[in-house]
Amino acid sequence: MRIAHVALWTTDLDRLCRFWADIFGATVGDLYESARRPGFSSRFLYLKDGPSIELMQGPWISGQDEQTERQGYAHLALSLGSREAVDALATKAAALSILMSPARMTGDGFYEAVLSDPDGNPIEITA
């Protein structure tokens, strides 16, 4: 069994696509606009390895109302393959003021840093 993709609601599809392309080098797929659900659109992001990420947008996404679908996820962890890669991306994230937590060893044995996407969702980057 493997993860096919991770889905993420956002209020600004273009902004989040630019973030993933600029920060992680993701390839951004074509825009999909649903004929069955008016206002729903999405794009898939493709990273070098691993599952794809579907960014989804709709006018009902507010990020505030607990009764409706909301933007975000708990966090997404991306393995970069080495401590050096984590350190380099953490340095870049700090320069962009999106670093939430500097690189460190966690209590459960991971070397990781945490950065934030434009919607405020945490992304863990691990070795």
Side-chain angles (χ1 to χ4, degrees), residues 80-113:
L80 304 183
S82 71
R83 285 181 175 217
E84 294 79 16
V86 170
D87 291 340
L89 188 51
T91 298
K92 179 178 181 178
L96 295 170
S97 298
I98 60 172
L99 186 66
M100 297 174 72
S101 178
R104 72 209 180 283
M105 284 300 298
T106 64
D108 53 356
F110 290 96
Y111 186 74
E112 70 179 32

Side-chain angles (χ1 to χ4, degrees), residues 13-14 22 29 39 68 74 87 95 97 105 112 119 124:
L13 189 60
D14 293 331
D22 292 346
T68 62
D87 291 340
S97 298
M105 284 300 298
E112 70 179 32
D119 286 343
E124 293 179 355

Side-chain angles (χ1 to χ4, degrees), residues 6-127:
V6 174
L8 170 63
W9 285 111
T10 185
T11 57
D12 191 335
L13 189 60
D14 293 331
R15 178 183 66 172
L16 218 47
C17 286
R18 281 191 308 274
F19 168 82
W20 279 91
D22 292 346
I23 299 298
F24 295 109
T27 301
V28 179
D30 294 335
L31 179 67
Y32 166 75
E33 296 179 288
S34 176
R36 293 184 337 163
R37 193 172 187 191
F40 174 84
S41 58
S42 71
R43 288 182 184 267
F44 275 90
L45 303 173
Y46 302 96
L47 302 172
K48 180 181 174 192
D49 295 313
S52 56
I53 300 167
E54 182 182 14
L55 299 181
M56 306 179 305
Q57 176 178 286
W60 52 86
I61 304 301
S62 69
Q64 305 298 321
D65 186 352
E66 294 293 327
Q67 301 302 315
T68 62
E69 294 164 306
R70 299 180 317 138
Q71 68 189 27
Y73 47 69
H75 72 265
L76 178 68
L78 300 175
S79 176
L80 304 183
S82 71
R83 285 181 175 217
E84 294 79 16
V86 170
D87 291 340
L89 188 51
T91 298
K92 179 178 181 178
L96 295 170
S97 298
I98 60 172
L99 186 66
M100 297 174 72
S101 178
R104 72 209 180 283
M105 284 300 298
T106 64
D108 53 356
F110 290 96
Y111 186 74
E112 70 179 32
V114 181
L115 56 97
S116 173
D117 76 12
D119 286 343
N121 297 302
I123 301 169
E124 293 179 355
I125 52 173
T126 68

